């Protein structure tokens, strides 16, 4: 999702109080709130697919983890709060009813507007979280999934159509096809033809 900047400096307390009342979500970076823009149909479909697979997996296995969509704040530093597309929190590790600093898995769906920020800036913030075990990036315009794992020294692994993505952090294997189910882009269209 693209961000629009709110120019006035805010302290963390003011940001958090305002965020609970706001109809628009904002990420917070070093005193500045950035409004979150809407997402495409493909972006929403990928997010829904991943959330569904995670929810079913946790229900079937009884693992004490919960997946959340982009409305759960993740504190990535003293003055930084982000809204990842999908967050998995285990063992009820929440700061309050709205946020966590202890995700085990974070998923971002990439767009032209967010690709660079998600791959560089946010990745560096997320990898500093001591609880995080995996960071998954999913392209929405092509078929490509990239996973960074703590167990592999944060080196990227890439997955394409026909591959299985193993999410070690939650014990789930999911096919790339299930991630892209009902997604409409040139790659998916060509692969299904």
């Amino acid at each position: 999702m693209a961000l629009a900047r709110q120019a006035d400096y805010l302290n963390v307390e003011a940001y958090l109080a305002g965020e609970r009342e706001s109809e628009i979500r904002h990420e917070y970076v070093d005193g500045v709130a950035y409004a979150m823009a809407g997402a495409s149909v493909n972006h929403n479909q990928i997010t829904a697919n991943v959330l569904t697979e995670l929810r079913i997996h946790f229900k079937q296995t009884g693992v004490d983890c919960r997946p959340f969509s982009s409305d759960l704040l993740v504190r990535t530093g003293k003055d930084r709060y982000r809204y990842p597309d999908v967050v998995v929190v285990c063992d009820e590790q929440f700061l309050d009813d709205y946020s966590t600093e202890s995700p085990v898995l974070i998923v971002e769906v990439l767009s032209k507007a967010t690709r660079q920020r998600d791959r560089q800036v946010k990745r560096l913030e997320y990898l500093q979280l001591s609880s995080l075990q995996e960071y998954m990036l999913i392209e929405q315009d092509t078929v490509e999934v990239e996973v960074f794992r703590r167990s592999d020294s944060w080196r990227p692994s890439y997955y394409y159509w026909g591959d299985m993505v193993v999410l070690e952090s939650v014990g789930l294997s999911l096919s790339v096809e299930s991630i892209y189910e009902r997604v409409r882009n040139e790659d998916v269209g060509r692969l299904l033809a």
Side-chain angles (χ1 to χ4, degrees):
M1 287 184 232
L3 301 173
R5 184 173 185 215
Q6 179 178 322
D8 297 331
Y9 176 84
L10 291 172
N11 64 34
V12 172
E13 294 77 19
Y15 161 72
L16 292 172
E19 200 62 12
R20 285 165 182 64
E21 303 296 323
S22 178
E23 293 181 15
I24 300 170
R25 292 175 301 127
H26 301 82
E27 290 192 331
Y28 179 79
V29 179
D30 300 330
V32 179
Y34 296 87
M36 302 291 293
S40 71
V41 171
N42 280 346
H43 185 286
N44 280 295
Q45 185 65 60
I46 291 168
T47 300
N49 292 345
V50 172
L51 278 169
T52 299
E53 293 288 336
L54 287 164
R55 185 177 177 279
I56 290 168
H57 172 68
F58 295 143
K59 189 173 184 177
Q60 290 176 344
T61 61
V63 173
D64 187 21
C65 296
R66 294 198 281 169
F68 295 91
S69 66
S70 58
D71 287 334
L72 183 69
L73 272 172
V74 174
R75 185 171 83 181
T76 62
K78 179 178 162 233
D79 292 326
R80 291 180 182 248
Y81 285 81
R82 301 291 190 176
Y83 282 109
D85 293 316
V86 177
V87 176
V88 174
V89 178
C90 299
D91 304 318
E92 299 297 313
Q93 296 291 312
F94 300 99
L95 293 170
D96 54 34
D97 287 341
Y98 303 93
S99 62
T100 185
E101 62 182 359
S102 301
V104 296
L105 170 66
I106 291 177
V107 178
E108 292 282 14
V109 179
L110 303 178
S111 69
K112 291 175 186 155
T114 66
R115 183 174 290 111
Q116 184 175 0
R117 183 174 37 260
D118 289 342
R119 283 190 182 282
Q120 296 173 7
V121 177
K122 287 185 178 183
R123 180 175 58 90
L124 293 176
E125 288 179 33
Y126 294 152
L127 300 189
Q128 296 303 311
L129 296 169
S130 62
S131 64
L132 190 71
Q133 298 302 309
E134 289 170 304
Y135 180 43
M136 182 162 69
L137 298 167
I138 304 170
E139 291 283 352
Q140 66 175 302
D141 298 323
T142 60
V143 175
E144 181 180 276
V145 178
E146 182 178 11
V147 180
F148 296 86
R149 293 182 180 86
R150 181 178 299 277
S151 66
D152 196 21
S153 302
W154 298 119
R155 286 188 293 258
S157 297
Y158 297 91
Y159 302 89
Y160 303 95
W161 201 261
D163 292 340
M164 292 294 290
V165 179
V166 177
L167 295 174
E168 297 171 357
S169 60
V170 296
L172 171 65
S173 295
L174 69 157
S175 68
V176 170
E177 288 89 337
S178 68
I179 294 170
Y180 287 93
E181 184 178 342
R182 301 197 71 185
V183 170
R184 306 228 189 307
N185 68 33
E186 284 185 35
D187 267 4
V188 173
R190 181 178 49 77
L191 292 161
L192 290 176

